Coordinates of all heavy atoms in Angstrom, one line a residue:
T182 N -6.8 -15.8 -19.9 CA -5.9 -17.0 -19.8 C -6.3 -17.7 -18.6 O -6.2 -19.0 -18.7 CB -4.5 -16.4 -19.8 OG1 -4.3 -15.6 -21.0 CG2 -3.5 -17.6 -19.8
L183 N -6.6 -17.1 -17.4 CA -7.0 -17.9 -16.4 C -8.2 -18.9 -16.8 O -8.3 -20.0 -16.4 CB -7.5 -17.1 -15.2 CG -6.3 -16.3 -14.4 CD1 -6.9 -15.5 -13.3 CD2 -5.2 -17.3 -13.9
V184 N -9.2 -18.1 -17.5 CA -10.4 -18.9 -17.9 C -10.0 -20.1 -18.9 O -10.6 -21.1 -18.7 CB -11.5 -17.9 -18.5 CG1 -12.6 -18.7 -19.2 CG2 -12.0 -16.9 -17.5
H185 N -9.1 -19.7 -19.8 CA -8.7 -20.7 -20.8 C -8.0 -21.9 -20.1 O -8.3 -23.0 -20.4 CB -7.8 -20.0 -21.8 CG -7.0 -21.0 -22.6 ND1 -5.8 -21.6 -22.3 CD2 -7.2 -21.5 -24.0 CE1 -5.4 -22.4 -23.3 NE2 -6.3 -22.3 -24.2
D186 N -7.2 -21.6 -19.1 CA -6.5 -22.7 -18.3 C -7.4 -23.4 -17.6 O -7.1 -24.7 -17.3 CB -5.4 -22.0 -17.4 CG -4.3 -21.5 -18.3 OD1 -4.2 -21.6 -19.6 OD2 -3.5 -20.7 -17.7
L187 N -8.4 -22.7 -17.1 CA -9.5 -23.6 -16.3 C -10.2 -24.6 -17.2 O -10.3 -25.7 -16.8 CB -10.6 -22.6 -15.8 CG -11.9 -23.0 -15.1 CD1 -11.3 -23.7 -13.7 CD2 -12.9 -21.9 -14.8
G188 N -10.5 -24.2 -18.4 CA -11.1 -25.2 -19.4 C -10.1 -26.5 -19.5 O -10.5 -27.5 -19.6
V189 N -8.9 -26.1 -19.7 CA -7.8 -27.2 -19.9 C -7.8 -28.1 -18.7 O -7.8 -29.3 -18.8 CB -6.4 -26.5 -20.2 CG1 -5.3 -27.7 -20.2 CG2 -6.4 -25.7 -21.5
Q190 N -7.8 -27.5 -17.6 CA -7.8 -28.3 -16.2 C -9.0 -29.2 -16.2 O -9.0 -30.3 -15.6 CB -7.8 -27.3 -15.1 CG -7.5 -28.0 -13.7 CD -7.6 -26.9 -12.6 OE1 -7.2 -25.7 -12.8 NE2 -8.2 -27.3 -11.5
L191 N -10.2 -28.8 -16.7 CA -11.4 -29.5 -16.6 C -11.4 -30.6 -17.8 O -12.4 -31.3 -17.9 CB -12.6 -28.6 -16.7 CG -12.8 -27.8 -15.5 CD1 -13.7 -26.6 -15.7 CD2 -13.4 -28.7 -14.4
G192 N -10.5 -30.5 -18.7 CA -10.5 -31.5 -19.8 C -11.4 -31.1 -21.0 O -11.8 -31.9 -21.8
T193 N -11.6 -29.7 -20.9 CA -12.6 -29.3 -22.1 C -12.0 -27.9 -22.5 O -10.8 -27.7 -22.4 CB -14.0 -29.1 -21.5 OG1 -14.9 -28.6 -22.6 CG2 -14.2 -28.2 -20.4
Y194 N -12.9 -27.1 -23.1 CA -12.4 -25.7 -23.5 C -13.2 -24.7 -22.7 O -14.3 -25.0 -22.3 CB -12.5 -25.6 -25.0 CG -11.8 -26.5 -25.9 CD1 -12.4 -27.5 -26.5 CD2 -10.4 -26.5 -25.8 CE1 -11.6 -28.5 -27.2 CE2 -9.6 -27.4 -26.6 CZ -10.3 -28.4 -27.3 OH -9.6 -29.3 -28.0
A195 N -12.6 -23.5 -22.6 CA -13.4 -22.3 -22.0 C -13.0 -21.1 -22.6 O -11.8 -20.8 -22.9 CB -13.1 -22.4 -20.5
V196 N -14.0 -20.2 -22.8 CA -13.8 -18.8 -23.2 C -14.3 -17.8 -22.2 O -15.3 -18.1 -21.6 CB -14.2 -18.5 -24.7 CG1 -13.5 -19.3 -25.7 CG2 -15.7 -18.8 -24.8
M197 N -13.8 -16.6 -22.1 CA -14.3 -15.6 -21.4 C -15.4 -14.9 -22.2 O -15.0 -14.5 -23.4 CB -13.1 -14.6 -20.9 CG -13.6 -13.6 -20.0 SD -12.2 -12.5 -19.4 CE -12.0 -11.5 -20.8
T198 N -16.5 -14.7 -21.7 CA -17.5 -14.0 -22.4 C -17.9 -12.6 -21.8 O -18.6 -11.8 -22.5 CB -18.9 -14.8 -22.4 OG1 -19.3 -15.1 -21.0 CG2 -18.7 -16.2 -23.0
G199 N -17.4 -12.2 -20.8 CA -17.5 -10.8 -20.3 C -16.5 -10.6 -19.1 O -16.1 -11.6 -18.5
L200 N -16.2 -9.4 -18.9 CA -15.2 -9.0 -17.9 C -15.5 -7.6 -17.3 O -15.7 -6.6 -18.0 CB -13.7 -9.1 -18.4 CG -12.7 -8.9 -17.4 CD1 -12.6 -10.0 -16.4 CD2 -11.3 -8.6 -18.0

Side-chain angles (χ1 to χ4, degrees):
T182 301
L183 289 179
V184 170
H185 170 270
D186 293 348
L187 178 67
V189 172
Q190 189 182 323
L191 288 161
T193 180
Y194 301 109
V196 291
M197 188 176 76
T198 57
L200 183 67

